[in-house]
Amino acid sequence: MNAPSPRPYASAKPARPLTGTISVPGDKSISHRALMFGALAVGQTRITGLLTGEDVLRTAAAMAALGAEISRDGDDWLVSGRGIGALTEPADVLDMGNSGTAARLLAGILASHDIYAVMTGDASLRKRPMARVIEPLKQTGAQFLARSGNRLPLTIRGARESMPLSYRLPVASAQVKSAVLLAGLNARGVTEVEEPEPTRDHSENMLRHFGARVDVERVGRGRGIKLWGQPELVAADVVVPGDPSSAAFPVSAALLVPDSHVTLQGVGLNPLRAGLFETLREMGASLAVHNARTQGGEPVGDLIAIHTTLKAVDVPPERAPSMIDEYPILAVLCAFAQGTSRLRGLAELRVKESDRLSATAALLSVNGARVEIEGDDLIIHGTGGLPGGGLVETHMDHRLAMSALVLGQASAQPVRIDDASFIDTSFPGFVPLMQGLGAGLSTP
């Protein structure tokens, strides 16, 4: 895939408070899974609210290349599945673009199918290690051939008769857990996964939604998950809630810009994804949930964010799995808070779209914040404001780009980013949506 041309952007204090009622795009994690499970089910699945960012479109294209029939019906998506074990060999390389989630979950599916496939991705994804999924998936009997450092492109020769897995995650990772569970779908017997800390459970929820048997129990601070293999997944309609990771950006902007009041409708509030909102309340944020409800097995509600003077926070490491994608924007909020914040246990950030730990520190430093990295902890000395004026290197990372643009809404001087083109991988329409609330975003 050719990388899009760089699209610089500038962010400056808005002329008025941020106000309005908006909906953020569908949850990316649930969108990926809805397409994958729909392709593995028998019958036609209707997906409402699917995120149409580049990452998810890559998943749709991959599942179509593996034999599923995928089409659009207005704003909905229709997936006619093949059934477990019935995917067909793709005629070409599967290009997963920028999506580590799609690549790692799809590796689990391919490992347990008797087919040959090759996966690649964009320049950012090709730098990201795949060993964390390759090692457990080898237990199925599948064969893997990767570039040095276990990086994409990755060749997979799926197992002829897949073996069930029993695996304890060395670190909490919903992607690795989901890859192992997906591999277990086409294996005889019970696949077992133990995670040291609870991670987002969208895979478990959706597996049940499509008819699989999944049992979960507490094991120490973590969880043990059992999946009974070779179920007949039956097509089931999916309504995708608003992505809480995307909601984090307009919520944070509203908290930072004086007199702002923003409502976000239909946001997913799964407790294993809500670590940021818990942390914001600890910082004193005015953040309320209205119209709480359950939708497709997932808790959903309307978020109301009102400008607040924030205080420093100490975030424990065990909260990281529930907010792993939100640390860059939380770090921005901590820089505007009063006092020193410490975000603990961020080793996982080093293997995201970029080394997000060092890149987040650089984002803050170039805009006048005092920040330190100690081991896997990020320490931010908040002073209630930032001078801004920096040029942020985004490293092809959509969340760094959006975090920098939010920072510029509250800093004394405008903030520039080198490239906004990758924002659409997770949040299509981010810039016009924020501009509609009153944000000061423009091309330089």
Side-chain angles (χ1 to χ4, degrees):
M1 182 183 76
N2 293 326
S5 299
R7 196 167 73 227
Y9 246 87
S11 177
K13 280 187 176 181
R16 62 173 178 83
L18 306 183
T19 57
T21 298
I22 59 173
S23 296
V24 296
D27 186 285
K28 187 165 70 158
S29 295
I30 295 175
S31 293
H32 283 305
R33 288 162 173 81
L35 289 165
M36 291 179 178
F37 291 131
L40 293 169
V42 175
Q44 186 180 83
T45 292
R46 178 179 290 272
I47 307 172
T48 302
L50 186 85
L51 172 66
T52 55
E54 183 65 25
D55 279 7
V56 175
L57 295 179
R58 291 287 175 178
T59 295
M63 301 321 294
L66 292 165
E69 295 181 13
I70 299 180
S71 61
R72 298 193 68 164
D73 181 18
D75 291 332
D76 291 354
W77 288 67
L78 304 176
V79 182
S80 295
R82 302 278 307 182
I84 290 173
L87 296 181
T88 57
E89 192 163 280
D92 203 348
V93 173
L94 302 173
D95 188 340
M96 308 316 295
N98 188 245
S99 181
T101 298
R104 288 173 175 143
L105 268 60
L106 188 57
I109 293 174
L110 294 171
S112 61
H113 281 73
D114 185 17
I115 58 178
Y116 170 90
V118 179
M119 280 197 298
T120 190
D122 67 10
S124 173
L125 187 58
R126 293 196 303 273
K127 295 177 182 177
R128 298 175 66 180
M130 294 288 288
R132 57 174 51 192
V133 292
I134 291 173
E135 289 308 312
L137 293 177
K138 284 180 179 177
Q139 298 177 30
T140 63
Q143 298 175 358
F144 296 85
L145 183 62
R147 199 161 54 89
S148 62
N150 286 303
R151 289 172 166 81
L152 299 180
L154 175 66
T155 298
I156 302 173
R157 172 72 255 183
R160 184 163 297 174
E161 291 187 14
S162 183
M163 301 295 293
L165 305 180
S166 180
Y167 188 65
R168 188 183 193 282
L169 301 180
V171 296
S173 169
Q175 292 180 1
V176 178
K177 173 183 67 175
S178 296
V180 173
L181 292 174
L182 283 165
L185 280 174
N186 198 31
R188 292 184 184 273
V190 179
T191 287
E192 301 181 52
V193 184
E194 184 180 331
E195 54 185 2
E197 302 282 351
T199 66
R200 59 184 67 177
D201 58 356
H202 302 309
S203 292
E204 297 95 306
N205 292 344
M206 195 169 290
L207 281 165
R208 294 190 192 100
H209 185 62
F210 279 86
R213 179 182 171 185
V214 181
D215 290 351
V216 179
E217 64 179 3
R218 293 287 300 188
V219 178
R221 293 198 315 185
R223 303 189 311 159
I225 302 105
K226 293 183 179 180
L227 167 71
W228 273 254
Q230 297 189 334
E232 181 169 299
L233 298 187
V234 179
D237 294 348
V238 177
V239 178
V240 181
D243 194 319
S245 296
S246 295
F249 299 102
V251 162
S252 298
L255 295 176
L256 291 178
V257 176
D259 301 321
S260 294
H261 187 295
V262 173
T263 299
L264 295 89
Q265 297 178 316
V267 177
L269 298 176
N270 186 309
L272 295 175
R273 292 283 301 281
L276 175 68
F277 304 140
E278 179 182 356
T279 302
L280 292 180
R281 292 187 181 97
E282 291 175 358
M283 298 176 75
S286 177
L287 184 64
V289 176
H290 287 197
N291 191 23
R293 55 205 187 269
T294 300
Q295 190 172 284
E298 295 278 348
V300 175
D302 302 336
L303 284 178
I304 300 175
I306 301 173
H307 170 252
T308 315
T309 299
L310 301 173
K311 60 184 180 182
V313 68
D314 191 321
V315 184
E318 57 268 21
R319 196 176 296 170
S322 69
M323 55 184 294
I324 195 63
D325 288 328
E326 285 77 73
Y327 279 105
I329 188 61
L330 173 60
V332 168
L333 292 170
C334 290
F336 285 94
Q338 294 286 352
T340 297
S341 295
R342 191 175 192 117
L343 316 184
R344 301 176 184 269
L346 307 188
E348 182 72 6
L349 291 188
R350 299 186 190 276
V351 292
K352 286 293 184 178
E353 280 81 342
S354 61
D355 176 352
R356 275 196 187 146
L357 184 54
S358 60
T360 298
L363 182 161
L364 296 177
S365 294
V366 78
N367 285 292
R370 191 158 64 90
V371 57
E372 304 153 28
I373 296 174
E374 288 187 2
D376 294 327
D377 296 354
L378 185 63
I379 302 166
I380 303 143
H381 302 279
T383 57
L386 284 180
L391 172 62
V392 175
E393 294 184 53
T394 57
H395 303 282
M396 301 169 65
D397 189 323
H398 46 122
R399 301 198 193 280
L400 288 174
M402 289 184 280
S403 298
L405 292 177
V406 169
L407 187 155
Q409 297 304 289
S411 58
Q413 298 297 320
V415 171
R416 295 169 295 142
I417 64 172
D418 62 351
D419 191 3
S421 63
F422 289 91
I423 290 176
D424 284 348
T425 64
S426 69
F427 200 147
F430 170 76
V431 168
L433 181 144
M434 292 297 295
Q435 289 172 329
L437 293 174
L441 303 179
S442 61
T443 53

